[in-house]
Amino acid sequence: MTRIESTFETLKAQNKKALIPYVMAGDPSPNSFVDLLHGLVKHGADMIEVGLPFSDPMADGPTVALAGERALAGGTSTHQALAMVKKFREQDSSTPIILMGYLNPIEIIGYEAFIALCHESGVDGVLVVDLPPAESGNFVERLAAHDINKIFLLSPTTLPERRKQVMTHCGGYIYYVSLKGVTGSASLDTQAVGEQVQAIKQETNLPICVGFGIRDGQSAAAIGQYADGVIVGSELVKNFSGLSHTSRAEDIATAQANIMTKMDELRQALDALSA
């Protein structure tokens, strides 16, 4: 059983919903990132999605795209992002870490070398936005051999054939994109999301986690009524806007404190569902 699978099993036994924050590796500074990860855990993260900086992030809205630009400007590469995860693992051996990124950097490193780096660094899941199941070859099996889950996306526009492929190849959890658009989009129809999540649950036993458009305790709780977990990215990442790897440590600390306040709000809202 992978760390992701074990975490969801524990949460289910406790009747709790997973809170999964997304942050960009190295944003705004490589020196502050590992502390950020530990802070997220202290403030209620059940697992963490770590973005891999990439120059052409097609699924990301302006907030996350700019986070990637800040990280790249600060010198964060895929190798360095994995080194940060490895550093995090020195003190935390239980919180699942899921990498979220794009195929190009993986192909440059090489599939086998990338998988080996993930295993060595303590990565638990990989979500490659532009690698659909039909094109993934034996990547899923090669990851599974190292106890790493391959996460896939479903959206309101996913065709039935693609949906079936996702459910066949996906592991850990299914990432359901709540709306048509990019990360950080404003509109969120919780009733429509609920109907879609309930329909997906009829076809798979995998946990369903919902991302895109969740920005506060109210929206997290509304989605948490249906989903097994919520993923929150842009609402957290936006606190680093205007900062960089050259910013004062005090300014970065203030931004991180604001993120933790939002994490507390989200955690309390989700926990209230099982109270």
Side-chain angles (χ1 to χ4, degrees):
M1 183 177 291
T2 66
R3 264 188 291 245
I4 293 173
E5 293 163 351
S6 178
T7 297
F8 274 113
E9 190 173 85
T10 299
L11 290 169
K12 185 176 181 180
Q14 298 172 346
N15 194 31
K16 292 181 66 176
K17 304 294 183 175
L19 174 55
I20 309 175
Y22 167 97
V23 285
M24 180 67 69
D27 179 36
S29 165
N31 296 330
S32 63
F33 187 70
V34 175
D35 287 340
L36 172 64
L37 295 180
H38 287 303
L40 292 170
V41 175
K42 290 177 182 176
H43 288 264
D46 295 297
M47 52 192 81
I48 304 172
E49 286 188 358
V50 173
L52 298 177
F54 181 54
S55 58
D56 189 21
M58 66 183 75
D60 295 325
T63 300
V64 174
L66 287 171
E69 290 183 15
R70 291 191 296 268
L72 290 170
T76 300
S77 65
T78 300
H79 282 93
Q80 288 169 321
L82 284 161
M84 294 173 196
V85 174
K86 187 175 182 178
K87 183 72 174 175
F88 169 77
R89 278 280 171 253
E90 292 177 5
Q91 297 182 46
D92 189 317
S93 61
S94 60
T95 304
I97 296 290
I98 300 96
L99 299 183
M100 184 172 183
Y102 296 86
L103 186 58
N104 186 270
I106 297 173
E107 292 203 324
I108 290 173
I109 294 171
Y111 286 91
E112 291 299 337
F114 175 75
I115 292 170
L117 283 169
C118 288
H119 178 66
E120 180 186 342
S121 303
V123 170
D124 302 287
V126 174
L127 197 169
V128 185
V129 175
D130 51 350
L131 182 62
E135 303 293 333
S136 61
N138 65 350
F139 189 47
V140 173
E141 290 76 14
R142 288 148 77 186
L143 286 169
H146 294 280
D147 294 324
I148 301 172
N149 292 127
K150 178 67 177 73
I151 315 298
F152 285 101
L153 300 165
L154 284 178
S155 77
T157 58
T158 302
L159 297 174
E161 181 181 352
R162 172 77 167 269
R163 187 155 147 169
K164 184 177 180 180
Q165 291 172 345
V166 166
M167 292 176 184
T168 300
H169 292 86
C170 194
Y173 61 92
I174 289 174
Y175 188 134
Y176 181 72
V177 178
S178 64
L179 42 82
K180 302 173 186 177
V182 295
T183 57
S185 298
S187 59
L188 182 62
D189 186 337
T190 55
Q191 182 177 350
V193 172
E195 292 172 356
Q196 286 283 348
V197 169
Q198 288 174 328
I200 296 169
K201 282 181 173 289
Q202 299 300 312
E203 302 177 45
T204 180
N205 292 323
L206 284 169
I208 314 298
C209 297
V210 176
F212 288 45
I214 299 170
R215 57 189 67 251
D216 52 25
Q218 182 179 357
S219 55
I223 295 299
Q225 295 180 71
Y226 308 103
D228 299 291
V230 299
I231 302 159
V232 184
S234 296
E235 190 64 23
L236 305 178
V237 170
K238 73 177 186 181
N239 288 282
F240 292 135
S241 296
L243 299 179
S244 72
H245 63 287
T246 61
S247 294
R248 297 188 312 156
E250 294 86 347
D251 294 333
I252 294 176
T254 297
Q256 288 192 0
N258 292 335
I259 288 174
M260 301 313 157
T261 298
K262 178 60 67 172
M263 284 290 295
D264 291 341
E265 176 190 344
L266 295 164
R267 182 75 268 171
Q268 290 166 14
L270 290 175
D271 288 348
L273 295 174
S274 57

